Amino acid sequence: MTTRMPTAERKAQIVDAAIKIIGEKGLREFTAAQIGREVGIKDGSIFRHFKNKNEIVMAVLDRLEGVLADTIPPLTGDPLKRLEEFFMARLETVASQPGVQSLLFSNQLSHAGGEAGLKRVMKLRKQGRQFISSCLLEASTKKLIRPDLDLTDILVLFNGAVMGLLLIAQDDAIEEPIEKRAAHVWQTLMSLIRK
């Protein structure tokens, strides 16, 4: 028998299940039946909490926005230190939450959420790039990074490092914790760009 729980808790369970299903199995498995199995309720019960699957997708995007906003440090202090905090927080957050990586680096949510979903996913990606760019611009202005480097190239390297670390961790291609490898990668990036 299914345990009755408060609506807010059940909705959170459904959103977590949707993240896991879409992120790990893809849209084909994003069904009310699959969500019900994951949560342990009848699939029809899902629609007591959400009007339809699109509303679930929007709730998933709400959750991702909140999770990713928590990785952005305050805009004070050394811009390279701020960038390091962001780098480590993003890696830890995405690596520790099943499905989030796939949702961020694929178009699964864009397809599931239609035009509104696409706009929100693009906005999430853009916010991260803008934060990185603002830190790099400030670091350049303060002459903390090499003047011969293009800031867009550094942005690409930064994003590539995050994606690469997450992929090798997902594939169990590193034996050490991702945080330890991330610290090494960060030091390598800094040795390349710091003045």
Side-chain angles (χ1 to χ4, degrees):
M1 177 149 192
T2 304
T3 305
R4 201 154 171 86
M5 63 176 48
T7 298
E9 286 180 42
R10 184 63 79 196
K11 284 179 96 165
Q13 274 189 329
I14 292 167
V15 169
D16 289 341
I19 290 171
K20 182 177 181 185
I21 292 163
I22 298 169
E24 294 178 2
K25 299 176 183 177
L27 284 179
R28 186 182 311 262
E29 295 295 320
F30 178 52
T31 64
Q34 186 66 32
I35 293 169
R37 279 193 291 279
E38 190 71 36
V39 174
I41 60 176
K42 293 180 181 177
D43 55 346
S45 298
I46 292 163
F47 299 110
R48 288 186 195 141
H49 304 284
F50 294 95
K51 292 177 190 170
N52 52 42
K53 283 179 27 178
N54 190 56
E55 193 171 280
I56 297 171
V57 170
M58 293 303 128
V60 166
L61 284 163
D62 291 342
R63 172 77 59 80
L64 287 179
E65 287 170 357
V67 164
L68 295 178
D70 289 344
T71 65
I72 298 178
L75 297 175
T76 59
D78 179 340
L80 293 179
K81 184 65 180 164
R82 202 165 54 235
L83 199 54
E84 179 182 12
E85 289 173 24
F86 177 75
F87 182 80
M88 296 301 189
R90 276 284 161 108
L91 281 169
E92 182 181 329
T93 297
V94 175
S96 69
Q97 299 195 31
V100 170
Q101 177 180 346
S102 296
L103 295 176
L104 287 176
F105 300 138
S106 74
N107 290 322
Q108 296 283 335
L109 277 179
S110 302
H111 295 303
E115 186 66 29
L118 175 62
K119 286 180 181 178
R120 288 181 70 184
V121 169
M122 297 305 288
K123 182 181 173 189
L124 279 173
R125 292 177 185 167
K126 185 177 181 181
Q127 285 171 336
R129 286 191 306 272
Q130 285 176 329
F131 178 81
I132 297 164
S133 294
S134 71
C135 290
L136 291 172
L137 182 60
E138 183 181 342
S140 177
T141 302
K142 291 181 175 181
K143 302 187 185 318
L144 299 174
I145 59 178
R146 291 176 30 200
D148 61 317
L149 297 177
D150 181 85
L151 297 183
T152 302
D153 291 346
I154 301 170
L155 171 68
V156 170
L157 290 173
F158 183 94
N159 278 331
V162 171
M163 291 176 72
L165 279 164
L166 289 168
L167 286 172
I168 64 171
Q170 181 181 6
D171 292 344
D172 292 324
I174 55 173
E175 295 179 13
E176 61 198 342
I178 191 171
E179 296 82 11
K180 186 173 181 182
R181 177 53 45 195
H184 290 289
V185 169
W186 180 256
Q187 290 307 315
T188 301
L189 281 172
M190 286 301 98
S191 71
L192 294 172
I193 70 168
R194 194 182 285 276
K195 186 172 178 184

